[in-house]
Amino acid sequence: MCRSIKTLRPPALPEEATEDDIRAAALQYVRKVSGFRAPAAHNREVFERAVDEIADATARLLDGLEVRGSHPAVRQPEPQPQPDAV
């Protein structure tokens, strides 16, 4: 679809996506679908509302995803064996 929208889940993104990451992706989506880089004044409200709604839906999606076999940078380190006390 839009090459400037990046994947926001691990392992593509090593840490959690920020609100700014999510909002930027939503803005790119609305720009692509509407065909407007910046809306005219009479379309600004509906444009911004769409960005907000898509950002909210994206945040819910990312919060609900279960990523299995994630990238090593995201996995919790395995506990190291502790030497026996003398």
Side-chain angles (χ1 to χ4, degrees):
M1 181 168 76
C2 187
R3 291 184 183 145
S4 58
I5 298 175
K6 63 183 179 179
T7 302
L8 297 180
R9 66 160 181 81
L13 196 65
E15 63 278 341
E16 279 191 35
T18 65
E19 286 185 35
D20 288 340
D21 293 329
I22 292 170
R23 179 120 182 121
L27 178 60
Q28 287 299 328
Y29 176 82
V30 172
R31 285 176 173 169
K32 184 69 167 186
V33 170
S34 70
F36 297 116
R37 185 183 184 295
H42 62 277
N43 287 326
R44 187 168 291 122
E45 183 180 337
V46 70
F47 189 93
E48 289 299 323
R49 186 170 52 243
V51 172
D52 292 341
E53 290 173 2
I54 292 166
D56 290 343
T58 301
R60 287 192 307 272
L61 170 67
L62 293 173
D63 287 343
L65 289 176
E66 178 183 336
V67 180
R68 295 181 180 178
S70 61
H71 190 270
V74 177
R75 290 188 196 144
Q76 296 297 322
E78 294 190 24
Q80 298 296 318
Q82 297 298 319
D84 292 332
V86 179

